[in-house]
Amino acid sequence: MEAKVLFKLRFLSDLTEGPEGRPLFVLTEVQEGSPPRYLSRLVFWEEGVRFLTREEARRPRYHAPYVYFLRAPAFQEPAQLYRLDLRGGEAERLTEFAGGVLDYVLSPKGEVYLLAREERPARDRPQVYEAWPFKSDGRGRLSEGPVALFRLGEKEPLLRRYPPIKEMAFGKDGLYLVAAEDPRAQAEWRDTLYRLEGGLVPVWGGRGPIYGLDAGEEGLVFLAHAFEHGGGTEARLHFLPYGGSPRVLAEGSFLNSLNSDLRYGAYRQGPRFGPDGAVYVVRTERGEAPLYRFTLDGREERVASGTVLSFAFGEGLFLLTEDFRRGVALEGPGVFFDPNEGLFPGLPEPVQTEWESPEGHRVPGYVLVPEGEGPHPLILYIHGGPHTAFGRAMMLELYLFLRSGYGVAFCNPRGSTGYGQDYALLKDWGGADERDLLGFLDHVLARFPFDPRRVGVAGGSYGGFMVNWLTARHPDRFRAAVTDRSICNWLSFFGASDIGPRFTYLELSAKPWERPEVLWEKSPLRLVHQVRTPTLVVHSEEDHRCPIDQGETWYTALWHLGVRTRFLRVPEEGHELSRSGRPDRRLARLEAYLDWWREHLG
């Protein structure tokens, strides 16, 4: 298996209910060319794959006899709303907004309400800002102009608003919406639930994020919290009866936060009301992401084990699932469809192992061991987040390392999701997590046929921060390193990242004007003079989550210190390069990793 397998991949996403109770979803393939690009098409499962569109389609919704979806009418043009009549004919374009359609929702009667930008921001002109954030990863500069809510077919909007509306759902008594009350609330990640009644009438919230809104016969469900524990606070599943007060049905690591590089598109994971009136939602637990069913009195039942990425109802329960050795597949009554079947033959399942810390907890993880007696070179791979996890979801990148002769150790240190609220908290970046990572590494080296003199370390985002931190704190521990979309300087990250002020404060309880010494103490740049590990730096120029100045600074410091280093600088890509970047650029990144390991680990 070579890195070019990327060009053969197919991805399933955007699962929803379709006609006759059968699943409707999006299938994405790589179109080879100069350059290669993704093509996402609408599919109906009818005893097999039936393509409904030849061109791009995403976010489908079905209301008989129509399928609605979003499509960019030309490359890099804003998306518009389309409608396909399943009785026959071509897809019909329904909107002509200069700035495109951002989202839409269907009422029980089939009315369409949509969010749109009436003007398209001019990217080549200077822009004035008076609020924050002013940019976003994957989108670039943001507009401070209002987003308009329209009922399809009407010329005038129901309202225009900034900050923009984030989510919508139709309840028995009208349309409900989620948005920040004002720019200050937006900057502090505090949302409010509103009902549309002439204008927006506040219903609940204002303390923290609200997401996953859905409406049923008896009320609304959503996930929310108020950052009670700072970064890593787990969500509460709320039920809000119409005209009543909200109550919490459950608390936990809701939604699928497992790492994978074999996804493309959108995945709705709940909470959602099922046809039985219960609430269904995915929850990350100990390296898996099962689907749960909650009754409105708080009783819970696991209805699907393993790893669920999305679900839909119909003539049964349909799921998009993942596993260690395959990407996303469709499962349901009489259905199992893996679009990449036969593409990854003979892959071994990771060996699961745990390190028992002297602090009293266990650090769960996984090991991929190459064929042969060994001792083999080993790569310690660190996930991003930090509030995500490794588990029962395939990481193609790690299997490419394995097939090239390198063992891989990857684990879930403190700060990871799925092991309870206390475990998910990480107030001491570079402290508790460092002890867990190095303890797990020693555990693996003692029990598996690896060469302790040929150990590499790699990771992206938070994982890149930890690569920088570990190679600075332990200069003789690793033979080679790859730091990808990393953080090295919290003081500059605070203002340059699209999440900088809020994320930095929630994770480190510090600001540049309040306890600035904490930000510098936790910056790997403070210790860069100690690094001796040959290091490949990977960073995308349009990364607004961990801005490229972080990678530039780390590379520049290493180079001037005389450390063996190389900089892979990727144009026109953001933080998601490794997961959804242009295929040829994803390939270049993987080949740069493999070249570095060959040069330094053998």
Side-chain angles (χ1 to χ4, degrees):
M1 186 170 71
E2 298 182 351
K4 288 184 179 179
V5 73
L6 269 173
F7 292 94
K8 299 179 181 179
L9 294 175
R10 300 201 294 172
F11 310 89
L12 304 184
S13 66
D14 297 80
L15 176 66
T16 189
E17 295 83 28
E20 301 173 1
R22 306 298 291 169
L24 189 66
F25 56 95
V26 169
L27 191 152
T28 300
E29 301 172 287
V30 176
Q31 279 191 315
E32 294 199 40
S34 297
R37 300 194 184 279
Y38 300 103
L39 174 63
S40 300
R41 293 184 287 170
L42 191 58
V43 171
F44 173 54
W45 184 267
E46 192 175 38
E47 305 302 326
V49 167
R50 176 189 165 195
F51 284 100
L52 298 180
T53 61
R54 293 189 299 270
E55 301 174 73
E56 180 202 7
R58 55 190 177 88
R59 296 193 190 177
R61 296 289 183 269
Y62 173 68
H63 192 284
Y66 302 111
V67 174
Y68 296 84
F69 59 89
L70 297 183
R71 169 186 291 169
F75 180 62
Q76 292 187 331
E77 288 291 312
Q80 303 293 340
L81 183 65
Y82 287 73
R83 182 174 69 186
L84 178 66
D85 191 332
L86 295 181
R87 295 169 297 189
E90 294 294 320
E92 171 191 10
R93 179 171 170 172
L94 300 176
T95 61
E96 300 279 351
F97 293 105
V101 175
L102 307 179
D103 200 3
Y104 71 100
V105 65
L106 304 180
S107 78
K109 297 179 180 179
E111 297 173 304
V112 181
Y113 288 71
L114 56 90
L115 300 174
R117 288 200 180 277
E118 298 169 278
E119 298 180 2
R120 188 176 185 183
R123 296 296 181 184
D124 59 345
R125 297 179 186 174
Q127 193 163 342
V128 175
Y129 291 94
E130 294 183 349
W132 187 91
F134 47 82
K135 64 179 180 177
S136 177
D137 190 66
R139 295 166 61 191
R141 289 192 303 168
L142 298 176
S143 171
E144 283 192 1
V147 168
L149 172 66
F150 282 89
R151 183 187 290 116
L152 186 66
E154 297 182 1
K155 293 184 178 180
E156 291 299 315
L158 299 169
L159 58 85
R160 292 184 176 95
R161 193 176 196 283
Y162 181 86
I165 294 162
K166 296 180 177 180
E167 296 192 10
M168 303 181 289
F170 259 99
K172 288 180 66 175
D173 54 353
L175 182 63
Y176 286 82
L177 311 101
V178 174
E181 181 180 11
D182 52 36
R184 177 60 59 182
Q186 176 179 249
E188 295 175 354
W189 299 351
R190 292 186 289 108
D191 296 328
T192 298
L193 175 65
Y194 295 94
R195 186 176 69 252
L196 183 65
E197 194 174 312
L200 292 183
V201 178
V203 176
W204 186 85
R207 299 178 297 169
I210 300 173
Y211 51 103
L213 178 66
D214 195 34
E217 286 295 315
E218 298 187 44
L220 308 172
V221 287
F222 51 85
L223 298 172
H225 62 78
F227 298 112
E228 293 88 347
H229 305 286
T233 299
E234 294 187 333
R236 298 183 183 92
L237 175 61
H238 291 77
F239 169 64
L240 175 61
Y242 296 119
S245 300
R247 61 177 183 264
V248 175
L249 301 182
E251 183 175 345
S253 183
F254 288 109
L255 308 185
N256 182 334
S257 53
L258 300 182
N259 285 251
S260 174
D261 53 4
L262 288 176
R263 303 170 185 157
Y264 189 92
Y267 301 96
R268 190 174 180 186
Q269 299 166 5
R272 291 192 63 193
F273 282 102
D276 57 357
V279 179
Y280 292 74
V281 62
V282 175
R283 183 164 65 188
T284 299
E285 292 181 341
R286 303 194 64 82
E288 296 187 340
L291 177 64
Y292 277 86
R293 174 185 181 273
F294 291 89
T295 60
L296 298 185
D297 60 5
R299 289 175 295 157
E300 67 177 70
E301 172 193 6
R302 182 186 283 203
V303 295
S305 298
T307 297
V308 176
L309 195 57
S310 190
F311 61 95
F313 304 103
E315 60 177 19
L317 181 61
F318 292 94
L319 309 171
L320 293 183
T321 66
E322 301 174 290
D323 214 326
F324 288 116
R325 295 178 291 176
R326 64 164 171 82
V328 182
L330 173 68
E331 295 188 47
V335 177
F336 181 82
F337 172 51
D338 177 2
N340 299 304
E341 186 175 2
L343 199 56
F344 311 121
L347 294 183
E349 190 163 300
V351 178
Q352 299 189 42
T353 185
E354 288 186 331
W355 173 62
E356 188 169 349
S357 167
E359 297 176 51
H361 64 281
R362 292 177 177 270
V363 178
Y366 308 88
V367 182
L368 291 171
V369 183
E371 296 179 351
E373 292 185 5
H376 308 285
L378 176 66
I379 299 164
L380 174 66
Y381 198 93
I382 307 169
H383 68 61
H387 309 300
T388 67
F390 286 124
R392 190 174 289 277
M394 185 174 174
M395 286 288 296
L396 175 63
E397 180 176 330
L398 305 190
Y399 278 104
L400 290 172
F401 298 163
L402 177 71
R403 284 297 191 232
S404 298
Y406 306 104
V408 188
F410 48 115
C411 69
N412 293 325
R414 278 172 287 183
S416 302
T417 52
Y419 301 93
Q421 180 62 87
D422 289 343
Y423 198 88
L425 301 179
L426 184 60
K427 291 296 186 180
D428 182 24
W429 280 52
D433 46 359
E434 175 189 287
R435 295 192 296 275
D436 286 357
L437 288 163
L438 295 182
F440 182 80
L441 175 60
D442 288 337
H443 166 81
V444 169
L445 288 170
R447 286 162 176 76
F448 295 88
F450 294 122
D451 185 349
R453 298 166 299 176
R454 291 189 295 158
V455 177
V457 61
S461 196
Y462 159 76
F465 164 85
M466 285 306 303
V467 170
N468 298 343
W469 184 261
L470 291 175
T471 55
R473 294 249 305 153
H474 304 273
D476 298 318
R477 185 69 199 258
F478 300 100
R479 178 75 69 87
V482 181
T483 181
D484 201 330
R485 57 192 185 278
S486 73
I487 297 172
C488 73
N489 182 357
W490 284 104
L491 288 162
S492 61
F493 176 88
F494 181 92
S497 169
D498 65 346
I499 62 171
R502 193 63 176 148
F503 183 83
T504 303
Y505 183 74
L506 289 171
E507 293 295 331
L508 300 181
S509 300
K511 302 175 183 178
W513 55 90
E514 293 178 8
R515 304 173 69 223
E517 68 280 0
V518 173
L519 301 185
W520 186 237
E521 179 188 347
K522 292 299 182 182
S523 294
L525 187 61
R526 179 177 63 87
L527 304 172
V528 68
H529 60 283
Q530 298 178 177
V531 177
R532 290 199 288 270
T533 308
T535 303
L536 170 65
V537 178
V538 179
H539 225 113
S540 296
E541 292 183 347
E542 299 300 319
D543 189 336
H544 297 302
R545 185 61 38 84
C546 295
I548 194 169
D549 76 289
Q550 302 290 322
E552 291 171 330
T553 300
W554 196 248
Y555 170 76
T556 299
L558 294 180
W559 193 92
H560 282 275
L561 286 165
V563 177
R564 177 81 175 93
T565 188
R566 183 178 297 160
F567 190 9
L568 177 67
R569 185 185 180 102
V570 186
E572 300 180 327
E573 296 290 347
H575 200 67
E576 296 300 307
L577 166 65
S578 67
R579 294 177 281 257
S580 58
R582 207 174 77 184
D584 56 325
R585 294 171 181 153
R586 290 178 68 178
L587 177 63
R589 172 185 170 276
L590 289 171
E591 290 180 337
Y593 269 70
L594 292 169
D595 287 345
W596 195 252
W597 299 138
R598 277 191 289 268
E599 291 175 29
H600 296 282
L601 297 183

